[in-house]
Amino acid sequence: MSDDIPLSPPMFEDPDAVIERKSRPDAIDALKGAVARVRELIEAGRQPGMPLSVLSNMAREAPLGSLCLAFLFGVAIGRRSR
């Protein structure tokens, strides 16, 4: 039996070495696809009766009340995260 303490496993010198790097056109295509999906979801949410449409109408009809409600919502979330 030896009194030597085993060394910890070596750290990677390049943390990105394990990650497979995509070529630039593949990454750009993936980003464009993600942007297109988000745009489609926003457009779907703006259809009459959908949540974004309702929020838009509320803000248009009562801008000060909407601002006050958004402020209070932000304060409530801010206190919860502490």
Side-chain angles (χ1 to χ4, degrees):
M1 215 166 159
S2 171
D3 290 333
D4 294 335
I5 298 173
L7 298 175
S8 63
M11 296 294 292
F12 287 110
E13 296 206 7
D14 182 15
D16 295 331
V18 177
I19 299 172
E20 180 182 329
R21 296 181 186 211
K22 291 186 174 182
S23 66
R24 185 166 269 188
D26 291 342
I28 291 172
D29 290 341
L31 182 60
K32 286 181 180 178
V35 168
R37 285 190 296 273
V38 169
R39 186 178 296 134
E40 289 172 4
L41 289 173
I42 290 173
E43 289 302 320
R46 288 184 178 172
Q47 299 298 321
M50 297 301 287
L52 288 179
S53 173
V54 171
L55 288 173
S56 173
N57 290 339
M58 284 175 44
R60 198 175 301 122
E61 292 172 6
L64 188 58
S66 298
L67 181 62
C68 181
L69 184 63
F71 175 76
L72 292 175
F73 185 70
V75 168
I77 288 179
R79 288 183 183 241
R80 185 179 305 175
S81 64
R82 286 186 183 183

